[in-house]
């Protein structure tokens, strides 16, 4: 009680300046340092409290409060240490040191209590990576949902188309049978035979169109097997050359990878290459030069092969190139407009991509990327 | 030399029947009966006992394949199937020693000759 009764009493102690042999520099070094620390320690609690007010979601608010009190207590001790050089309030100093000790230990206890939870907390980078990963999964999910919807739509369209084509082909067969029977009756009338032939030819074109539309509407299932892509291309090139054989045509393969094998449906991929090569034959003047370049690629981190196809024809205008894969879009007089659409469908069903370089001024340039294995 | 065959033709489209009959007669074969559905076909075959049957698959009342199976239950008659579509799965399912050939409409005269010629072991 006597201690607190004489709490601010200073007669029992000398101020620090006259106590000992302080040089001016040494004394002010202590005073200035203590005052600077005092000022900083008085500021820090306010900053911490400001943070807590602005970000009430911050974890471990108690630790923030304890630190604010602890720093504040330390600051007062430093302030009193500076004052003691003139005003020896050692009792006040002692009490504040005791308070500082209590608050310090309170803070230590609070830190220990919060440590397990703090150790379990993930870093911002980890959380960001997880958010990114989740976003990717969500995007993939959305993409898959869209693919399912598209696939269901295509399936419905395909069924309707198959029925329509089936019935149309029956009607076509009747019509062709009638015309052929008619041709037998008018054997001596050349002008009539010519008309019948024209009609039969038009019906043949219609039948071909039905076949292509059916192929687009109801794509066949993929049956993958290992194939050496340049061999597939060579086989197609030989067959197209035989069929359209008037061209001075040459093909070149550039292998930028040692592995040119890929698991594909041979028939379907041959159809893709046939389409591209036939388009080149139709568009290019002699001499026709075709180039296939093979290199390693990746699709979503999975190993893939990139096939770059280039001809020496006039190529496509940018506005044509943009629409090249649209169904029923054609630049030919007698095209169905489904060739490249079916190519795209086939490549996509292999988990790959096909694109046309719209910037190329001379020649048509296609890039096909195919997964080496199915996933 | 090709042997004259006795043929039964079935299709629900009279024009297609007429066309097939015309082709077959041109080839020197004898069309002993025609049918417009599967039931008529089975009846016609029982009555005429042909060498070969040419039938459309999709027909009313009883389809061509069903009729063919009924015919095979009493005699192993060779059958040429005709359809509007070339369907690999269907061909695989209907594999039978009695199916001589599978022709996709519109029927080509040469295809028909090849199919019937299989009876002689020639084409």
């Amino acid at each position: 009680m006597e201690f607190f009764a004489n709490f601010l009493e200073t007669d029992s102690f000398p101020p620090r300046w006259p106590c000992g042999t302080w040089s001016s520099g040494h004394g002010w070094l202590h005073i200035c340092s203590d005052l600077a620390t005092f000022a900083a320690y008085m500021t820090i609690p306010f900053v911490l409290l400001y943070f807590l007010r602005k970000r009430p979601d911050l974890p471990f608010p108690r630790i923030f409060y304890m630190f604010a009190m602890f720093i504040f207590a330390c600051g007062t001790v430093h302030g009193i240490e500076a004052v003691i050089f003139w005003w020896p309030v050692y009792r006040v100093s002692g009490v504040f040191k005791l308070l500082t000790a209590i608050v310090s230990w309170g803070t230590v206890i609070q830190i220990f209590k919060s440590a397990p939870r703090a150790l379990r907390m993930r870093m911002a980078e980890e959380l960001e990576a997880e958010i990114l990963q989740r976003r990717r999964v969500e995007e993939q999910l959305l993409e898959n949902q869209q693919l399912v919807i598209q696939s269901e739509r295509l399936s419905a369209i395909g069924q309707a188309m198959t029925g329509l084509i089936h019935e149309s082909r029956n009607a076509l067969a009747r019509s062709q049978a009638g015309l052929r029977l008619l041709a037998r009756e008018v054997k001596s009338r050349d002008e009539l035979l010519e008309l019948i032939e024209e009609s039969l030819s038009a019906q043949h074109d219609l039948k071909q169109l039905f076949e292509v539309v059916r192929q687009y509407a109801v794509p066949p299932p993929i049956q993958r097997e290992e194939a050496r892509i340049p061999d597939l291309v060579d086989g197609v090139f030989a067959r197209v050359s035989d069929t359209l054989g008037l061209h001075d045509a040459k093909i070149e393969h550039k292998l930028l990878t040692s592995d040119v094998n890929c698991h594909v449906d041979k028939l379907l991929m041959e159809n893709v290459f046939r389409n591209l090569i036939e388009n080149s034959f139709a568009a290019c003047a002699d001499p026709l030069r075709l180039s296939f370049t093979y290199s390693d690629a990746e699709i979503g981190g999975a190993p893939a092969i990139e096939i770059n196809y280039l001809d020496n024809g006039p190529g496509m205008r940018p506005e044509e190139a943009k629409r090249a894969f649209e169904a029923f879009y054609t630049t030919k007089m007698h095209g169905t407009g489904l060739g490249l659409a079916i190519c795209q469908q086939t490549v996509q069903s292999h988990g790959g991509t096909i694109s046309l370089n719209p910037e190329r001024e001379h020649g048509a340039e296609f890039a096909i990327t195919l997964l080496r294995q199915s996933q | 030399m090709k042997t004259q065959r006795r043929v039964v033709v079935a299709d629900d489209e009279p024009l297609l029947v007429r066309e097939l009959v015309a082709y077959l007669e041109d080839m020197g074969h004898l069309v002993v009966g025609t049918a417009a559905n599967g039931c008529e076909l089975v009846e016609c075959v029982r009555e005429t006992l042909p060498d070969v049957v040419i039938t459309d698959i999709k027909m009313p009342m009883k389809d061509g394949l069903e009729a063919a199976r009924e015919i095979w239950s009493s005699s192993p008659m060779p059958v040429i199937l005709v359809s509007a579509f070339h369907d690999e799965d269907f061909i695989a399912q209907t594999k039978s020693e009695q199916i001589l050939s599978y022709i996709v409409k519109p029927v080509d005269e040469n295809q028909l000759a090849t199919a019937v010629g299989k009876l002689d072991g020639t084409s």
Side-chain angles (χ1 to χ4, degrees), chain A residues 311-327:
Chain A
D311 70 19
N312 62 336
M316 280 191 180
R317 292 199 298 271
E319 62 272 22
E320 291 172 347
K322 274 182 198 161
R323 303 187 60 194
F325 295 103
E326 265 181 41

Side-chain angles (χ1 to χ4, degrees), chain A residues 162 165-167 169-170 173-174 176-178 180-181 184 207 211 214, chain B residues 13 15-16 18-19 22-23 26 58 84-86 104-107 109:
Chain A
T162 304
I165 291 172
H166 194 276
E167 292 310 314
R169 279 195 61 158
N170 277 333
R174 283 205 310 277
Q176 285 178 314
R180 279 196 290 258
L181 286 169
R184 296 164 69 90
K207 186 187 136 198
E211 206 48 56
R214 191 173 80 105
Chain B
E13 295 295 347
L15 263 176
L16 296 177
R18 276 180 65 184
E19 189 189 22
Y23 287 159
D26 283 355
K58 201 182 163 198
F85 270 118
H86 185 78
V104 180
K105 290 179 187 178
V107 176
E109 207 170 347

Side-chain angles (χ1 to χ4, degrees), chain A residues 140-154:
Chain A
Q140 186 65 44
L141 197 65
L142 199 66
E143 205 175 302
N144 288 349
Q145 279 173 342
Q146 281 169 346
L147 278 176
V148 168
I149 292 168
Q150 195 184 3
S151 156
E152 281 171 357
R153 273 189 199 148
L154 275 176

Side-chain angles (χ1 to χ4, degrees), chain A residues 132-237:
Chain A
L132 200 66
Q133 175 70 17
R134 282 182 185 217
R135 265 193 205 146
R136 278 192 198 132
V137 171
E138 275 172 21
E139 279 169 10
Q140 186 65 44
L141 197 65
L142 199 66
E143 205 175 302
N144 288 349
Q145 279 173 342
Q146 281 169 346
L147 278 176
V148 168
I149 292 168
Q150 195 184 3
S151 156
E152 281 171 357
R153 273 189 199 148
L154 275 176
S155 167
I157 293 169
Q159 281 173 13
M161 197 69 85
T162 304
L164 182 70
I165 291 172
H166 194 276
E167 292 310 314
S168 303
R169 279 195 61 158
N170 277 333
L172 199 59
R174 283 205 310 277
S175 171
Q176 285 178 314
L179 281 171
R180 279 196 290 258
L181 286 169
L182 184 62
R184 296 164 69 90
E185 299 297 322
V186 295
K187 271 181 188 162
S188 54
R189 303 276 303 273
D190 285 349
E191 74 281 9
L192 290 181
L193 283 174
E194 202 176 312
L195 283 174
I196 291 169
E197 202 50 51
E198 287 270 331
S199 301
L200 281 170
S201 165
Q203 288 181 343
H204 176 76
D205 290 348
L206 198 55
K207 186 187 136 198
Q208 295 294 101
L209 176 64
F210 285 158
E211 206 48 56
V212 176
V213 170
R214 191 173 80 105
Q215 203 184 334
Y216 180 67
V218 192
I222 291 185
Q223 292 171 344
R224 287 177 186 261
E225 55 185 314
E226 189 166 13
R228 191 174 181 275
I229 303 295
D231 293 347
L232 284 189
V233 172
D234 280 338
V236 171
F237 178 74

